[in-house]
Amino acid sequence: MAYCNPSSDQKPDEMASMEVGNDNDVKVHVFSSSSELIEKLHEKWSPVKKKPYPAMYSSVFGGIVLDPAMMVIPIDDHMVHRGHGVFDTAVILDGYLYELDAHLDRFLRSASKARISPPFPRSTLRSILVQLTAASQCKEGTLRYWLSAGPGNFLLSPAKCPTSAFYAVVIADNVSQCKNGVKVITSTIPMKASLFATMKNVNYLPNVLSIMEAEDKGAYASIWVDDDGFIAEGPNVNVAFITNDKELILPPFDKILSGCTAKRLLELASKLVEQGRLKSVKTSNLTIMEAKGAAEMMYIGSTLPILPIIMWDEQPIGDGKVGDLTMALSDLLWHDMLAGSNTHRICVPY
């Protein structure tokens, strides 16, 4: 069973039940009972005052778990050893779930592309997620959920897995509006093929390597450019530009993930067009030269919701400062998250 490690500060000899002899041979402890193992798992969490994961749901367990030591998934789950799974996320803000339905619809589209049939209908999945959030008592953070081919064996094919598995966890975290700009680089890590980039699957190694590459160079994250030389996306976010003609442009979604927050921004941005602050709003291909010549640039993602970008490959974007239109768009999204209609916000029945 895989389990959540509460702290990265623990020493290796504290994390594993091992005894090292004088001859440097390792003697691995064998747990004699499940109760002994559970006691060990609880030891890992006992120093943690505020639990970062207040609740988890598992279809394998058939219910909600409030004890983080028990938030485990089977190691023979095909999502673990074959990466056959999809996931999605929704923000919890001020006791509301933002854009849950949009994310859940994308989640099921991803599942269809991955050829995983959910163990429950959409309405049940939605109800589980709302009940899980309520049980967590978390008013601010994120709700993340996965659908896997399920446990059953260690084969490549999931054909003999009895049923798919649905997992979800509430992550307590601060969600705030981003007002400071960041630096980015152009990633040299190959981006995913469109089939995999357009589904939100758990195979995130390219994404991880891409952001590690950026961090190695002192940047916040990176930008992917596709094989045709057009701007694609960030490692786990969409990217948008405001041209010198005051056009808001996002890359098309045909080769990248269809961002729920990005699509909501495209709807809300029409208000700035009506006010005359923006000329137009659209999706269109941009070359890297055109993109670097933009007046303003930003990342768009569920937990951001907008993050200004002020420098790219050590070159300033525009005047190298956070743009007024970027913050105007951020204000629109932030207001929508805090006080938008019930169509986009679900009140959690705590």
Side-chain angles (χ1 to χ4, degrees):
M1 304 282 278
Y3 66 89
C4 302
N5 179 16
S7 172
S8 60
D9 296 327
Q10 291 169 308
K11 298 177 182 178
D13 58 337
E14 293 173 340
M15 295 175 64
S17 296
M18 295 184 178
E19 298 176 4
V20 182
N22 294 330
D23 56 358
N24 292 326
D25 289 334
V26 176
K27 182 179 180 181
V28 181
H29 178 74
V30 177
F31 290 96
S32 60
S33 66
S34 57
S35 59
E36 183 190 3
L37 174 58
I38 290 171
E39 182 180 351
K40 187 68 177 180
L41 291 175
H42 280 126
E43 284 180 14
K44 303 293 183 181
W45 283 99
S46 58
V48 182
K49 294 181 180 179
K50 184 178 179 181
K51 303 298 187 287
Y53 319 124
M56 174 195 175
Y57 171 84
S58 168
S59 64
V60 176
F61 294 163
I64 294 170
V65 180
L66 302 180
D67 182 351
M70 297 293 99
M71 294 179 185
V72 298
I73 62 176
I75 199 168
D76 66 340
D77 191 302
H78 274 236
M79 183 169 68
V80 174
H81 64 85
R82 298 298 179 187
H84 194 182
V86 298
F87 76 103
D88 222 302
T89 305
V91 169
I92 308 164
L93 186 60
D94 198 27
Y96 284 79
L97 282 162
Y98 182 65
E99 288 281 78
L100 175 62
D101 287 310
H103 283 90
L104 188 54
D105 288 341
R106 183 177 66 180
F107 177 69
L108 293 174
R109 290 195 299 271
S110 295
S112 178
K113 290 181 179 181
R115 298 182 63 182
I116 305 174
S117 298
F120 314 114
R122 183 191 186 281
S123 58
T124 302
L125 296 174
R126 187 181 190 273
S127 179
I128 289 170
L129 294 174
V130 174
Q131 290 183 61
L132 173 66
T133 308
S136 75
Q137 292 298 302
C138 178
K139 304 294 177 65
E140 185 175 347
T142 55
L143 170 65
R144 190 169 298 183
Y145 40 100
W146 296 261
L147 180 65
S148 86
N153 54 50
F154 289 93
L155 301 177
L156 183 61
S157 169
K160 294 186 178 180
C161 293
T163 183
S164 58
F166 181 59
Y167 308 105
V169 66
V170 172
I171 305 168
D173 199 6
N174 293 325
V175 180
S176 59
Q177 190 176 15
C178 300
K179 298 184 178 182
N180 296 320
V182 298
K183 300 177 181 180
V184 300
I185 64 164
T186 302
S187 180
T188 65
I189 305 299
M191 65 179 289
K192 299 174 186 175
S194 59
L195 172 64
F196 302 108
T198 55
M199 76 169 86
K200 200 169 178 70
N201 62 84
V202 299
N203 297 291
Y204 257 47
L205 184 56
N207 311 64
V208 171
L209 293 177
S210 177
I211 200 163
M212 290 177 70
E213 177 187 33
E215 292 171 345
D216 288 344
K217 296 181 179 180
Y220 175 83
S222 57
I223 301 293
W224 265 317
V225 179
D226 68 23
D227 292 338
D228 296 320
F230 295 122
I231 303 302
E233 59 184 343
N236 63 341
V237 285
N238 293 104
V239 63
F241 304 87
I242 297 175
T243 69
N244 291 293
D245 293 329
K246 298 191 184 303
E247 291 183 303
L248 172 64
I249 301 179
L250 278 73
F253 299 117
D254 56 331
K255 296 180 181 179
I256 61 174
L257 189 67
S258 179
C260 297
T261 308
K263 295 177 100 172
R264 182 61 180 151
L265 177 66
L266 289 170
E267 296 172 355
L268 294 171
S270 61
K271 296 179 181 179
L272 296 187
V273 177
E274 294 170 2
Q275 296 170 10
R277 300 183 67 182
L278 280 177
K279 179 182 177 181
S280 63
V281 176
K282 64 181 181 180
T283 60
S284 179
N285 284 320
L286 285 171
T287 65
I288 191 167
M289 183 176 296
E290 291 170 332
K292 286 187 174 181
E296 301 179 32
M297 179 179 176
M298 68 205 79
Y299 278 138
I300 308 167
S302 298
T303 59
L304 297 175
I306 285 180
L307 178 61
I309 296 172
I310 58 174
M311 188 168 288
W312 183 1
D313 290 336
E314 300 300 330
Q315 299 177 20
I317 297 297
D319 61 6
K321 299 178 181 179
V322 175
D324 291 340
L325 289 173
T326 297
M327 290 314 302
L329 291 168
S330 179
D331 289 341
L332 283 174
L333 263 176
W334 190 246
H335 179 269
D336 197 54
M337 293 173 70
L338 282 173
S341 70
N342 291 337
T343 306
H344 300 280
R345 297 167 70 241
I346 299 171
C347 183
V348 179
Y350 295 102

